Amino acid sequence: MKEARHIPTGRIVRASEVDYPEYHGIFQCPHCKVAVRLRKEYTRSDETTITAAFIHPEAETELQRDCAYRVEFDFDAKNLNPGFTESKGQCFKVLKRKFISKLKKHSKVSLTKCYSKNQLSLECVNLFISVSCKLVASSCNGKFIEGQEVYIQEVINAQKVKLDEKVNSDIRESENLERSKRKFILKNQEQIKKDIKDQITQQNLSFNVALLDNICISDEELSNLDFFISWFLMSFWDEYYNSQWRGVYIDYRARIVGIKLQYIIGNIIHDNYLDLNIKRKAVKWLLEFLCCDARNMDKFRTETLDYIFGKYVDNEEIQLICRETNKKMLETLDQSLSDTKLVETFFTQKYQRHFSGENAAIFQEIEKIHNLVFRFIIDYLLDFPWHELGK
């Protein structure tokens, strides 16, 4: 296989490219989602050059066995890599550990921790997470995830508009503060000049104080005085010297610097982290990773959803579902989702947009939770610092 998904960036890369340092990390088949091993280009003893490629491990599921990108090689015993399965497990272990560490920083608290003091509520929360995990773990989610691209694009566009508004608002506020500061300097220029002259005299500084008398005749000279005041206060001003204008001036300057820093950061975020195509791919990959059927994913999914829901602990929909009166309903849904055939029927009818049969009422409740869970996951991932995942 010549191409694979580079997990830290979510990009599809060629095997021939990944010799470069920026392509460190874990790779995944874009079709069956299994971790693949990079085999770099090498030359055989007969001088035949074997080009770089990504190699699938031994298939574990039907999806992996039927993968269109899988190529079967007739290796002899010497060329087999018996350590790959263990290596693959280590790759997933590292990725999951990094992801959970970011979750803990991003969410601060898990849903179960928020309900830990009430045993009955905690039981409902655990049931809700169990139901959510079973829904997320289904291999039938592929079509649903593909259908979320429009929603993802709408959210990112809304984020861009909101950020643009914030940046423009900060710029206007900064400009207004600059004008107010200039008016303040003009109004108090005589006292400012007098106090600076006193400081120069007291500290025996070598400076032609007569130059101060001619400043502020024009806007350009007002800017010069503003710059001089800022430089002088930082370099020579005696903090014990009492002046009525110094505190006001410093406050103006600090507020302006703080606001300018905000919109500079805002522009950086806009340019680097809200790129629609990059973010869409990153979110889609993280969704696929949460839904993949690799071994030992259940514990990871449970912990992941626990922290994701923790960020939305005050959401009315979560609180409504996790009420103690819903315990029996959640137990019924949890038991129903343990039936593989029933889950497949649910997704079939969901995609047909019509629930029928004896399980129609249960399917309607399952769909409510399914849509809610994925909305929370997507919203969370759109706000998640995914660009730091590979660090």
Side-chain angles (χ1 to χ4, degrees):
M1 187 171 75
K2 300 302 181 184
E3 295 182 335
R5 190 185 299 278
H6 181 230
I7 286 179
T9 61
R11 293 198 299 266
I12 299 295
V13 298
R14 295 187 63 80
S16 57
E17 297 175 342
V18 297
D19 286 332
Y20 299 103
E22 59 266 31
Y23 288 111
H24 68 283
I26 307 164
F27 303 92
Q28 181 190 57
C29 174
H31 178 71
C32 68
K33 308 299 183 286
V34 69
V36 292
R37 173 175 59 89
L38 171 66
R39 185 199 63 200
K40 295 185 179 181
E41 182 177 305
Y42 69 98
T43 303
R44 289 177 174 173
S45 57
D46 61 0
E47 297 187 355
T48 301
T49 299
I50 305 300
T51 59
F54 294 103
I55 310 300
H56 280 71
E58 182 180 350
E60 297 175 355
T61 67
E62 184 176 351
L63 176 64
Q64 293 172 12
R65 283 192 293 272
D66 295 338
C67 178
Y69 295 108
R70 178 179 290 277
V71 178
E72 298 296 341
F73 292 96
D74 185 18
F75 289 125
D76 58 37
K78 293 181 181 179
N79 288 329
L80 291 176
N81 184 4
F84 179 74
T85 301
E86 182 180 351
S87 174
K88 182 195 70 174
Q90 290 299 318
C91 289
F92 271 89
K93 188 180 295 184
V94 169
L95 178 61
K96 288 188 284 188
R97 186 174 67 246
K98 285 188 176 183
F99 191 51
I100 291 295
S101 69
K102 298 295 182 184
L103 284 172
K104 292 180 178 180
K105 291 180 180 179
H106 195 54
S107 296
K108 306 299 182 185
V109 66
S110 66
L111 186 64
T112 51
K113 188 173 182 179
C114 292
Y115 284 85
S116 59
K117 295 182 180 179
N118 186 319
Q119 184 59 36
L120 289 176
S121 295
L122 182 60
E123 290 175 6
C124 290
V125 166
N126 284 325
L127 282 168
F128 170 59
I129 293 175
S130 177
V131 168
S132 301
C133 284
K134 288 176 180 175
L135 285 170
V136 170
S138 174
S139 59
C140 300
N141 279 307
K143 183 177 179 181
F144 180 81
I145 292 174
E146 291 293 333
Q148 298 306 300
E149 288 206 9
V150 174
Y151 175 71
I152 292 171
Q153 180 170 339
E154 289 175 350
V155 174
I156 295 175
N157 287 339
Q159 288 177 339
K160 284 187 173 183
V161 170
K162 186 176 181 180
L163 187 59
D164 284 338
E165 291 175 350
K166 178 66 168 62
V167 168
N168 291 332
S169 175
D170 287 344
I171 290 174
R172 288 193 297 270
E173 185 177 357
S174 174
E175 291 172 346
N176 289 335
L177 282 171
E178 287 281 6
R179 284 192 289 269
S180 297
K181 186 180 70 170
R182 290 164 70 88
K183 288 179 181 179
F184 175 79
I185 293 173
L186 281 171
K187 182 179 179 180
N188 296 276
Q189 61 176 305
E190 296 304 322
Q191 186 63 46
I192 290 172
K193 292 175 185 178
K194 180 182 180 301
D195 290 346
I196 290 177
K197 289 177 182 178
D198 289 346
Q199 283 287 291
I200 290 172
T201 301
Q202 288 181 19
Q203 298 189 39
N204 295 318
L205 300 176
S206 177
F207 184 81
N208 186 358
V209 294
L211 294 175
L212 283 170
D213 296 329
N214 296 323
I215 292 180
C216 286
I217 297 174
S218 66
D219 283 344
E220 182 180 354
E221 289 176 345
L222 174 60
S223 297
N224 291 338
L225 179 58
D226 185 9
F227 177 79
F228 178 78
I229 294 170
S230 179
W231 168 75
F232 190 85
L233 287 177
M234 291 181 64
S235 304
F236 304 109
W237 196 265
D238 183 351
E239 62 178 320
Y240 299 106
Y241 183 86
N242 186 26
S243 62
Q244 297 178 347
W245 57 271
R246 177 173 174 267
V248 177
Y249 178 86
I250 291 175
D251 181 63
Y252 270 123
R253 189 184 65 189
R255 288 163 63 190
I256 291 169
V257 170
I259 292 170
K260 284 184 176 179
L261 182 61
Q262 287 182 36
Y263 67 70
I264 289 172
I265 292 174
N267 279 323
I268 292 173
I269 293 172
H270 187 289
D271 293 339
N272 296 327
Y273 304 142
L274 284 185
D275 181 276
L276 181 60
N277 292 324
I278 294 176
K279 195 159 192 177
R280 185 196 293 120
K281 289 178 182 177
V283 171
K284 184 181 176 184
W285 179 84
L286 287 169
L287 279 173
E288 291 174 348
F289 181 69
L290 279 173
C291 297
C292 76
D293 59 354
R295 292 179 179 178
N296 303 319
M297 283 293 288
D298 289 342
K299 182 180 178 181
F300 169 73
R301 257 190 294 264
T302 298
E303 192 170 2
T304 296
L305 293 183
D306 195 6
Y307 274 99
I308 287 177
F309 295 149
K311 187 177 179 183
Y312 302 99
V313 66
D314 294 326
N315 183 275
E316 292 182 6
E317 293 168 292
I318 285 185
Q319 292 179 347
L320 182 64
I321 291 174
C322 294
R323 286 191 311 184
E324 297 170 15
T325 53
N326 286 333
K327 184 179 178 182
K328 288 186 178 179
M329 182 268 289
L330 288 169
E331 287 175 337
T332 301
L333 298 184
D334 191 48
Q335 184 176 1
S336 299
L337 291 170
S338 299
D339 186 334
T340 304
K341 291 185 178 179
L342 195 65
V343 172
E344 291 177 354
T345 303
F346 161 74
F347 277 99
T348 298
Q349 294 190 8
K350 176 179 173 62
Y351 293 140
Q352 293 173 348
R353 298 185 179 181
H354 178 67
F355 294 125
S356 60
E358 60 181 354
N359 293 310
I362 292 177
F363 286 169
Q364 288 174 358
E365 294 300 321
I366 292 175
E367 183 180 45
K368 290 178 185 177
I369 295 181
H370 182 272
N371 292 341
L372 178 70
V373 166
F374 271 90
R375 194 181 80 230
F376 283 140
I377 294 173
I378 292 171
D379 287 346
Y380 186 94
L381 294 180
L382 285 170
D383 187 49
F384 182 77
W386 47 266
H387 53 280
E388 298 179 359
L389 191 57
K391 295 180 179 179

